[in-house]
Amino acid sequence: MIRHTKIIGTGGYLPETTYSNEHISTLVDTSDEWIFERTGIKSRHIAAAHESAASMAETAARQAIAAAEIDASQIDLIIVATGTPDNVYPSTACLLQHRLGIKTGVAFDIQAACSGAIFALSIADQYIKSGMANTVLIIGSELCSRIVDWTDRGTCILFGDGAGAMLLTASAEAGVLSTHIHSNGEFENLLYCSNPQAAAEAPENAANSGCITMRGNEVFKVAVNTLERIVDETLEANGLEKTAIDWLVPHQANIRIIAATAKKLKMPMEQVVVTLETQGNTSSASVLLAFNEAVRDGRIQRGQVVLMEAFGAGFTWGSALIKY
Ligand code: UT7
């Protein structure tokens, strides 16, 4: 049997507290009008003090396990993508494994910034197709609010917290059609978050140590061009025309970046899953949260073709074409 990778369950978690653009306008010199017009964001969720990447991941994971109607013990690989792990080690994936009562298999974290969900999906697909794993849980869980500089209006308006989950299993039927992941470390200075405990900081950078630092306008331009290229790469690899795609589930960084990718695909925005307005950019959680939302509200149906894509610090970028 040719082993394919099939999605069998999804889940998501968003913290209860939200920060509106109006609230952020009381913290930095900005306005609801500016933020919404330039980004498409109206509000974002902010984790409570007691929450962590592992706790949010657990809630999202339990939803995905319930949706898939499997027992957690069947999961033999857990991959958590996060830029805000609970500890340097053990990995958040190991903490999650314990929270789920799983004592077998393997669990590890990956770091690909906002592309984390696509990287995790790509790794899961290779493990399943090769027979190294049968049932894989992938998670994106992020506490962006803890690494945002709340005095920097260029970044603090953008990010939010949340966790998304997806369960994948070996199947005779096609599911994940292809994944494409890339990185280029050349652009570290355009978007980074240093690790204050490990980095030997240059004094001029010390003020931003441990916070997201971004040259937004430059990142924007690279993101648009790169995502256009990955759309072509994905369609070519599958011998498909643009019209074959039913849904675009993009990383939620900026509505103008999403609209540019949709335009490249000649896709009306009705076929694009957008969560940005109420969630902001939840980094590695965003694609999984958006996919989960559209599955649960009935937009994405079994048999439909879905293109997921993301771009993030590194730079990292990637896509996944799925027959759901
Ligand atoms: O997910 C990982 C990848 N990240 C991204 O893809 C993010 C990509 N970048 C972006 O989304 C956009 O670049 C931003 C939303 C961050 C910024 O939008 P922009 O249209 O690129 O604005 P800009 O940085 O070119 O700034 C334009 C003006 C500047 O003022 P001057 O110099 O023209 O007077 C900024 O100081 O807007 C000003 N500005 C703001 N004004 C009000 C920047 N941030 C704000 C703000 N409120 N929050």
Side-chain angles (χ1 to χ4, degrees):
M1 168 189 111
I2 299 175
R3 287 169 68 96
H4 296 283
T5 303
K6 196 91 193 152
I7 298 169
I8 53 167
T10 63
Y13 174 73
L14 292 162
E16 205 180 316
T17 299
T18 56
Y19 280 7
S20 65
N21 289 349
E22 286 79 7
H23 175 69
I24 294 200
S25 307
T26 66
L27 307 176
V28 289
D29 181 16
T30 189
S31 64
D32 172 43
E33 196 186 11
W34 193 96
I35 300 172
F36 187 61
E37 208 169 274
R38 296 293 186 112
T39 70
I41 301 166
K42 280 263 173 205
S43 70
R44 65 290 286 148
H45 294 258
I46 305 290
H50 68 272
E51 293 184 301
S52 74
S55 76
M56 298 198 306
E58 181 186 357
T59 309
R62 288 194 186 280
Q63 261 188 27
I65 291 165
E69 297 178 343
I70 63 160
D71 193 88
S73 62
Q74 288 172 252
I75 297 168
D76 52 6
L77 170 60
I78 299 173
I79 307 171
V80 175
T82 182
T84 51
D86 290 32
N87 305 308
V88 174
Y89 44 76
S91 67
T92 302
C94 282
L95 304 185
L96 175 62
Q97 183 193 34
H98 179 62
R99 280 170 176 265
L100 295 175
I102 304 170
K103 292 185 190 297
T104 54
V106 62
F108 55 82
D109 287 0
I110 60 154
Q111 167 56 275
C114 296
S115 308
I118 304 291
F119 276 53
L121 181 53
S122 183
I123 297 166
D125 187 38
Q126 311 314 315
Y127 266 79
I128 288 174
K129 281 184 179 149
S130 69
M132 287 274 288
N134 284 316
T135 304
V136 183
L137 172 64
I138 65 166
I139 299 278
S141 186
E142 301 280 3
L143 293 146
C144 297
S145 64
R146 307 239 174 112
I147 55 166
V148 145
D149 174 356
W150 285 101
T151 66
D152 174 16
R153 68 176 183 175
T155 51
C156 76
I157 58 161
L158 299 171
F159 295 94
D161 300 338
M166 184 181 276
L167 261 170
L168 303 136
T169 198
S171 160
E173 269 175 58
V176 177
L177 301 176
S178 71
T179 63
H180 309 265
I181 58 174
H182 300 277
S183 48
N184 179 355
E186 194 184 335
F187 300 101
E188 177 191 0
N189 63 331
L190 295 189
L191 176 53
Y192 64 92
C193 177
S194 63
N195 176 356
Q197 289 163 305
E201 283 288 332
E204 65 271 22
N205 293 338
N208 270 329
S209 179
C211 288
I212 300 170
T213 308
M214 179 168 71
R215 294 190 355 219
N217 196 279
E218 289 164 75
V219 175
F220 186 99
K221 286 176 200 151
V222 185
V224 169
N225 289 332
T226 306
L227 291 170
E228 287 193 359
R229 286 206 314 276
I230 202 127
V231 164
D232 286 336
E233 181 186 340
T234 313
L235 290 170
E236 266 167 38
N238 290 279
L240 289 177
E241 297 296 322
K242 292 169 182 167
T243 48
I245 298 174
D246 296 300
W247 293 100
L248 174 64
V249 181
H251 169 50
Q252 313 281 318
N254 187 312
I255 193 69
R256 294 180 289 141
I257 298 176
I258 295 174
T261 310
K263 194 172 164 204
K264 166 83 184 171
L265 281 163
K266 295 196 166 62
M267 231 181 194
M269 287 304 280
E270 290 71 37
Q271 281 170 263
V272 184
V273 182
V274 180
T275 55
L276 194 63
E277 187 168 332
T278 55
Q279 295 176 18
N281 180 348
T282 57
S283 192
S284 69
S286 83
V287 171
L288 295 173
L289 277 166
F291 188 83
N292 176 55
E293 187 173 300
V295 163
R296 284 177 186 266
D297 69 20
R299 273 178 289 171
I300 296 179
Q301 298 280 327
R302 284 282 174 198
Q304 289 186 323
V305 176
V306 182
L307 175 64
M308 303 175 188
E309 46 83 343
F311 179 89
F315 288 141
T316 55
W317 64 99
S319 65
L321 195 72
I322 307 272
K323 189 164 189 208
Y324 182 63

